[in-house]
Amino acid sequence: MTDAFELLMSIGEAASIYALVALSYMLVLRPTGIINFAVGEWALLGAFLSVSTVVTLKLPYPLAVLLVLAGVGAIAWLTERLTIRPMVERAAPLMTLILLMLAVDIVYREAAVWGYGTANHFAPMPFGSGRVEFGPFGGSTQSLVVIAATVLVFAATWYFFERTVQGKAFEAVAIDRTVASLMGINLARVTALSFFAAGAVAGLAGMLQAPLTTASYLMGLPLTIKGFSAMVIGGAGRVEGAVLGGLVLAASERLVLRYAPVPSAFAIAIPLLLLIIFLLVRPTGILKAKGAA
Amino acid sequence: MNGAMRTATAWIGGAALLVGLTYVLGGYGLDIYRKLLLTATLALSYNFMFGFAGQIALSHYTFYGIGAYSVTILMTQAGWSLPLAALATIGISAVVALAVAIPANRLEGFYLALATLALAQIFIVALVQGGEFTGGADGIFGFKSPEIFGIPLSGTNFVIALIGLFLGTLAVLQFLGRSYFGRACRAIRDNPRAAAAMGINVARTNIIVFTLTSSLAAIAGIFYAFADRFVNPYVFGIEPMFLLVFMVIVGGTGRHAGAIVGATVLFLLPEFLGDIVGRRYILIYGLLVVLALMFQPNGLIGLYDQLRHRLARRP
Amino acid sequence: MPRLKYGWTTLALASALAVAGWAVPAPASAQTVKIGVITDRTGNAAFYAGQIETGLNLALKEINAAGGVNGQKIEILYEDDQNKPDLSATKARKLVGEGAVVILSISSSTTTQQAQSVTLETKTPHIAPANSADTLTTRLDNPYFFQMGPLGSDQMRTLINYTGKRFKKVALLSDSTGLSTLTAKDFKNEMTKAGIEVVVEQVIEIGATDVVPQLQRIRAANPDAIVVAAISIAEVTLFFRGYHQLGLKYPVLASYNLSVPAYLDLAPNLLNGTFFVDVFDPDKVQAKQFIDKYTAEYKKAPFGLPAFGYDAVYFVADAVKRAGSSTDKEKVRQAIADTKNFVGVIAAKDTALGFPPNKRTGYPPKGSVIRVIENNKHGKVVSSGY
């Protein structure tokens, strides 16, 4: 029985990271239509920045979190300002924007390698690496931290979109850019803010993962693929889709690893296969967007 | 000289130059030259799919790998002769390409990119887990170069064969590019709905392009297997694929010359940048692509054209 | 068509540039003994290769300060293969063209394998100082290639010798890198030969975020011990974290890849109690001298990898001296193959490097030691050889 509950914790932790990355995708996708190749590298930057702030500069953890969120958010915002905005103003085709993010993604990664090298970097867990047990559940303290942080972020996001005027503005832009601007919503500001938020969320995901796996220059691409898979599976139309997609992806990965009679090496292929299947069979994901037919 | 004579001269002259280089270059230079010819061939076929037809697929190196591994496995494990193995490989690759192209046709843009990226990863996992059949993580190596009519296909002979591959691919793609098919591809790239309205069968054209260019990549893969007489899963990974995309963008998408220039420049540049720059050439390439996409979408070949026009305008 | 013609012109220009770079033969430089080194400076074996380089450079400095070999100084030519197999082959060719009389491969086993195709073709002596894959000398019949790392099979025998009959069934853990897959295969073969049953095998994927389900499988199989053939730092860290997270208590035995101290920094205090194979016995006389010299030069303590680099250069220098030539590759190859009883810094006390007739693996089969990690440090040697 311990197995099942430990697995649940493990699934929760992985689902959280995937959900955060999927959310980052959505925050950019919904208002602008751009699918952001660079999400994994934003997480990577968050991971490395957390190493710099916590390990090198030995700053207190809450301050480090703020710096990482602000830092990656700022980098994301700057990228939008310098590369995306001018191209959007020139009415560049969507494909060009996506390719741009691919190139920028490589730039981020190589800049990180320049600064931090190709070796792995240690990131400490903020609350220690002990084993926690409450009732039948057991897991590491870091799993709890990850899950708790994710719940917070999603609660805040839900509140933002459902209860605030700015959130409604976002939704309006997502539904129809032209009409939204005609209604007086400042498109440029919404886009800039969405990039900043997407960067911060991805950076947080990286910061949460770094203590678990060490910060490494290779950690970006798997997150890009898995986060995108989570978004596709759950449905890109709603924020809840990120959570659902993350859970489905994490659960299938972990359960196959634990119980399926296939060699564990094939477990790598699960997110990839799920992605391909969903793209072909149900690209809108499990949850439909609100108001969709 | 009229147009036809001009073309013939260009082809013969180009071929002569390429062959001449083969005999001038020494060991290391020849090695680079071979890899360059293969890369340029891949860039040409990729550019046709990416630049001419507008499909962002990231599976090109996967088909390169399918070609290389198929011919190697057939020759080393099944003991087939080269012509038979090569033909079978082309057949296998075409079938696989078709099998991927049909469902892939429903995807576009980033979705196609990620789906083909996922496929590329799965391919590597399958190779590494393939045990004795695929040679596993070590790959397959140590086999002999094949012989054509008693002449071994190694050293300079091999390079001549590569030149043939390169020119052959170029000829095929040039012909296609200028045909109705090529115009249909470009129409779909620019505006799929308008193309459909004009009567072009968008789905069928897309499927043919994908199958064809991927098969061309597999054919290049057949040659690659004998370049080092070594096939290894990690050669066909994601990194070289991204680099191929960069080459095509920086060189100038949608133009054969662009693919050749892009491949040549980006492939040779690290040699000249040396050890001080080391790995950072990738960073430079990323920046170059950003600049190209933002300010020079026609790439280096576009720059070259502008220069030519400016010079031509002088009285 | 005019467009195509100019495309050709461009290609021609670019090619001409390339030709300028390589068609001109390298100038005959002053007489030095050129050792070509294929290293990884920028890929994912960079961490290990960099450590070996420190040893290489120290030996280089010492030998040249003492007058060199046969009156000539040694020169090391470094090339970066980025841990890419086909690039490794190309770099090997480059080094041969630059006059290297011996090539050292200090990148991963997979890239060393591919570089061999070039050293075989160009008949150049080729040594892998630290690679441990058994297949390096068996899959390709290359008389010019010599391997000085501890073979996976010998490592496992040393481990089995230490554990005796205590462990009848084990769990085997590896990751999806090429080297780990090969090491795991070697380990499994040896264990099966010794009658030890591998009841469960798990492969940690590169990029995994946690290994709880895989460790649960291991727990479900209830092995007597866990044998770790995983080498990739992130994945090994995940394993040790998960191990403690689940409160597991199985003895952990690891390959010589865990003799790299980096793991201690990245998973502090999580490795205590692990037994691992090492090539470095700090109580050996030569090792003590090396520790002093290395610490004086680099201000930090050495371990197996820098020792491999250090020994490699002395080894090559010794062979070149006996060959009496710094350019005749055949003589150098023969001198290397004739090496017996080369006592270096690496390997257990009272063992020596050397090649038995018709074998190209030089590390003494009984030359590995077993050490235990205590207080987040590499502890003492508890067993040697088999």
Side-chain angles (χ1 to χ4, degrees):
Chain A
M1 252 299 99
T2 359
D3 260 21
F5 290 114
E6 275 170 352
L7 266 182
L8 276 174
M9 286 288 279
S10 161
I11 292 175
E13 169 201 282
S16 301
I17 307 263
Y18 300 159
L20 283 176
V21 177
L23 180 64
S24 178
Y25 269 110
M26 283 183 200
L27 286 172
V28 168
L29 176 64
R30 314 247 344 270
T32 67
I34 300 172
I35 306 187
N36 179 13
F37 238 121
V39 159
E41 261 56 42
W42 281 346
L44 184 152
L45 288 173
F48 278 122
L49 277 177
S50 77
V51 169
S52 290
T53 50
V54 176
V55 177
T56 320
L57 295 176
K58 302 209 193 324
L59 300 172
Y61 200 74
L63 180 58
V65 173
L66 282 172
L67 282 174
V68 168
L69 290 178
V72 184
I75 293 174
W77 173 82
L78 202 64
T79 310
E80 191 269 332
R81 207 67 195 57
L82 291 176
T83 60
I84 304 282
R85 176 108 44 111
M87 297 299 279
V88 167
E89 276 160 16
R90 276 184 253 161
L94 201 57
M95 246 320 85
T96 311
L97 295 174
I98 294 177
L99 287 172
L100 203 52
M101 291 312 283
L102 169 60
V104 166
D105 167 84
I106 300 290
V107 170
Y108 287 144
R109 193 192 65 196
E110 293 303 314
V113 170
W114 192 343
Y116 295 90
T118 53
N120 295 69
H121 289 268
F122 170 70
M125 297 188 177
F127 295 100
S129 59
R131 178 179 165 85
V132 160
E133 284 177 14
F134 47 103
F137 292 92
S140 72
T141 45
Q142 185 65 12
S143 303
L144 281 176
V145 170
V146 170
I147 297 175
T150 307
V151 167
L152 267 174
V153 168
F154 273 93
T157 311
W158 177 86
Y159 183 81
F160 176 75
F161 281 120
E162 295 294 319
R163 297 268 184 270
T164 62
V165 176
Q166 292 91 325
K168 296 292 185 199
F170 253 74
E171 285 291 311
V173 173
I175 294 172
D176 192 328
R177 280 180 80 88
T178 328
V179 171
S181 74
L182 286 175
M183 305 278 270
I185 295 175
N186 187 335
L187 283 183
R189 194 139 65 106
V190 167
T191 311
L193 267 173
S194 66
F195 264 79
F196 183 88
V201 167
L204 180 66
M207 184 172 191
L208 289 172
Q209 189 182 304
L212 298 166
T213 60
T214 71
S216 140
Y217 77 110
L218 289 172
M219 66 190 281
L221 190 63
L223 283 176
T224 302
I225 298 180
K226 292 187 193 182
F228 183 71
S229 305
M231 183 180 77
V232 166
I233 293 172
R238 290 159 70 156
V239 166
E240 299 92 80
V243 177
L244 181 62
L247 281 168
V248 169
L249 190 59
S252 44
E253 269 186 334
R254 300 291 187 257
L255 291 174
V256 166
L257 270 176
R258 178 62 188 91
Y259 295 112
V262 291
S264 53
F266 286 110
I268 309 171
I270 295 168
L272 308 169
L273 285 171
L274 273 178
L275 173 63
I276 293 179
I277 293 172
F278 266 86
L279 280 177
L280 294 177
V281 172
R282 198 183 164 93
T284 46
I286 299 177
L287 293 177
K288 291 215 176 71
K290 274 188 281 245
Chain B
M1 271 202 268
N2 66 14
M5 283 284 286
R6 277 259 234 18
T7 319
T9 322
W11 278 92
I12 296 177
L17 186 71
L18 292 175
V19 170
L21 271 175
T22 313
Y23 291 102
V24 169
L25 291 172
Y28 178 58
L30 198 62
D31 197 272
I32 299 280
Y33 187 44
R34 297 188 309 191
K35 301 285 166 64
L36 174 59
L37 282 170
L38 282 167
T39 309
T41 308
L42 282 177
L44 278 174
S45 47
Y46 188 67
N47 189 26
F48 197 87
M49 176 167 60
F50 179 83
F52 279 74
Q55 296 183 31
I56 303 191
L58 296 177
S59 49
H60 216 61
Y61 261 85
T62 306
F63 285 97
Y64 190 45
I66 291 178
Y69 263 92
S70 299
V71 75
T72 306
I73 293 177
L74 285 172
M75 285 184 72
T76 56
Q77 313 255 5
W80 291 15
S81 65
L82 174 63
L84 205 56
L87 276 172
T89 301
I90 297 176
I92 296 173
S93 316
V95 167
V96 175
L98 197 63
V100 172
I102 295 178
N105 178 53
R106 277 192 259 168
L107 303 171
E108 53 172 13
F110 192 78
Y111 295 91
L112 179 64
L114 261 259
T116 44
L117 185 64
L119 197 69
Q121 305 254 36
I122 294 178
F123 179 62
I124 302 208
V125 172
L127 286 178
V128 172
Q129 297 303 317
E132 290 299 316
F133 186 63
T134 61
D138 244 356
I140 307 179
F141 50 89
F143 45 93
K144 294 231 179 316
S145 290
E147 297 191 357
I148 303 236
F149 305 123
I151 307 174
L153 215 58
S154 61
T156 47
N157 295 339
F158 180 68
V159 183
I160 303 291
L162 282 180
I163 294 176
L165 167 74
F166 171 69
L167 291 177
T169 309
L170 178 59
V172 167
L173 292 173
Q174 246 214 314
F175 174 73
L176 282 175
R178 271 186 257 152
S179 69
Y180 169 79
F181 183 75
R183 286 199 292 277
C185 291
R186 280 187 285 260
I188 296 174
R189 173 196 66 193
D190 293 334
N191 192 331
R193 270 189 277 198
M198 282 199 285
I200 297 173
N201 187 334
V202 175
R204 195 176 59 175
T205 314
N206 277 340
I207 291 175
I208 296 179
V209 168
F210 189 94
T211 310
L212 193 68
T213 52
S214 300
S215 302
L216 283 173
I219 294 175
I222 296 177
F223 283 77
Y224 171 74
F226 302 109
D228 288 329
R229 294 191 299 282
F230 191 110
V231 287
N232 179 283
Y234 302 106
V235 171
F236 306 107
I238 313 297
E239 289 299 322
M241 183 67 241
F242 283 158
L243 225 54
L244 195 64
V245 177
F246 287 5
M247 285 174 183
V248 160
I249 294 177
V250 170
T253 46
R255 298 266 302 273
H256 301 298
I260 299 174
V261 167
T264 310
V265 170
L266 291 195
F267 187 79
L268 293 178
L269 209 54
E271 296 294 322
F272 296 104
L273 292 178
D275 275 341
I276 306 184
V277 170
R279 188 204 171 96
R280 279 168 248 161
Y281 76 89
I282 309 177
L283 176 63
I284 298 176
Y285 286 3
L287 289 170
L288 278 179
V289 173
V290 172
L291 290 174
L293 287 170
M294 289 184 72
F295 302 115
Q296 185 65 16
N298 289 327
L300 288 174
I301 217 67
L303 266 178
Y304 182 77
D305 281 343
Q306 287 169 356
L307 210 64
R308 247 193 329 136
H309 283 139
R310 214 169 289 176
L311 289 174
R313 271 208 298 264
R314 298 245 178 96
Chain C
M1 293 236 73
R3 259 195 193 162
L4 186 60
K5 193 171 177 188
Y6 287 115
W8 284 122
T9 317
T10 321
L11 175 60
L13 279 172
S15 311
L17 273 173
V19 170
W22 297 299
V24 179
S29 63
Q31 293 299 318
T32 55
V33 179
K34 293 192 175 51
I35 302 181
V37 174
I38 302 179
T39 176
D40 178 10
R41 294 244 172 98
T42 52
N44 40 1
F47 178 71
Y48 305 98
Q51 302 287 342
I52 303 180
E53 277 188 46
T54 58
L56 292 171
N57 291 331
L58 183 59
L60 175 74
K61 203 164 140 180
E62 284 178 9
I63 297 179
N64 282 344
V69 180
N70 296 341
Q72 296 172 330
K73 296 242 190 271
I74 304 185
E75 193 188 339
I76 297 186
L77 307 167
Y78 284 104
E79 286 295 336
D80 180 2
D81 75 353
Q82 303 176 29
N83 202 24
K84 292 188 186 151
D86 51 348
L87 201 54
S88 208
T90 308
K91 295 300 181 184
R93 229 178 263 282
K94 187 172 183 192
L95 287 169
V96 169
E98 288 172 357
V101 68
V102 172
I103 292 187
L104 297 178
S105 273
I106 62 174
S107 188
S108 69
S109 290
T110 332
T111 56
T112 303
Q113 184 74 72
Q114 183 142 21
Q116 279 200 60
S117 59
V118 170
T119 53
L120 175 58
E121 188 190 311
T122 57
K123 300 195 170 42
T124 308
H126 183 193
I127 301 179
N131 290 143
S132 57
D134 275 44
T135 52
L136 281 175
T137 50
T138 55
R139 278 190 75 173
L140 191 66
D141 187 18
N142 181 358
Y144 293 86
F145 175 74
F146 302 90
Q147 179 179 12
M148 283 162 58
L151 297 183
S153 48
D154 290 326
Q155 291 181 46
M156 194 64 230
R157 283 204 209 137
T158 316
L159 271 171
I160 294 175
N161 176 58
Y162 170 66
T163 60
K165 300 262 178 273
R166 265 183 287 160
F167 305 134
K168 294 275 191 309
K169 42 196 183 96
V170 302
L172 181 59
L173 193 72
S174 61
D175 60 48
S176 53
T177 60
L179 177 59
S180 184
T181 315
L182 293 171
T183 309
K185 200 159 68 158
D186 290 342
F187 276 19
K188 191 172 179 190
N189 282 341
E190 279 310 306
M191 286 195 277
T192 316
K193 274 197 240 172
I196 298 176
E197 190 194 348
V198 175
V199 292
V200 59
E201 278 184 72
Q202 287 292 308
V203 177
I204 307 180
E205 60 161 293
I206 301 299
T209 48
D210 98 79
V211 292
V212 165
Q214 296 181 276
L215 290 179
Q216 285 177 334
R217 277 228 212 194
I218 291 181
R219 185 170 61 189
N222 200 26
D224 297 327
I226 302 180
V227 174
V228 176
I231 57 157
S232 176
I233 293 194
E235 284 64 38
V236 170
T237 313
L238 270 180
F239 162 70
F240 280 106
R241 280 200 199 294
Y243 180 92
H244 286 274
Q245 190 178 324
L246 292 186
L248 298 181
K249 297 269 179 281
Y250 307 108
V252 177
L253 309 169
S255 70
Y256 110 102
N257 288 289
L258 238 67
S259 66
V260 173
Y263 299 100
L264 300 171
D265 298 324
L266 293 170
N269 287 314
L270 296 183
L271 278 76
N272 291 337
T274 305
F275 296 97
F276 64 100
V277 180
D278 203 349
V279 299
F280 191 69
D281 181 351
D283 279 332
K284 189 175 172 189
V285 166
Q286 289 83 359
K288 284 200 182 130
Q289 292 169 344
F290 175 65
I291 294 176
D292 290 335
K293 289 187 238 181
Y294 189 93
T295 321
E297 174 83 10
Y298 295 108
K299 312 280 181 286
K300 54 181 175 151
F303 55 100
L305 287 177
F308 266 123
Y310 185 80
D311 275 349
V313 174
Y314 269 99
F315 189 86
V316 170
D318 174 67
V320 170
K321 189 153 106 180
R322 278 181 287 121
S325 156
S326 66
T327 48
D328 187 334
K329 293 195 262 192
E330 290 303 320
K331 286 209 181 117
V332 173
R333 190 211 81 83
Q334 192 57 51
I336 294 176
D338 288 338
T339 310
K340 309 229 184 310
N341 290 318
F342 178 93
V343 181
V345 174
I346 55 171
K349 293 184 210 168
D350 305 323
T351 61
L353 278 70
F355 301 101
N358 296 326
K359 286 204 80 168
R360 291 175 284 112
T361 51
Y363 190 86
K366 307 194 181 184
S368 300
V369 298
I370 307 292
R371 296 171 72 177
V372 63
I373 296 181
E374 296 165 322
N375 298 322
N376 211 42
K377 277 207 266 284
H378 286 160
K380 52 187 183 348
V381 172
V382 296
S383 168
S384 175
Y386 55 86

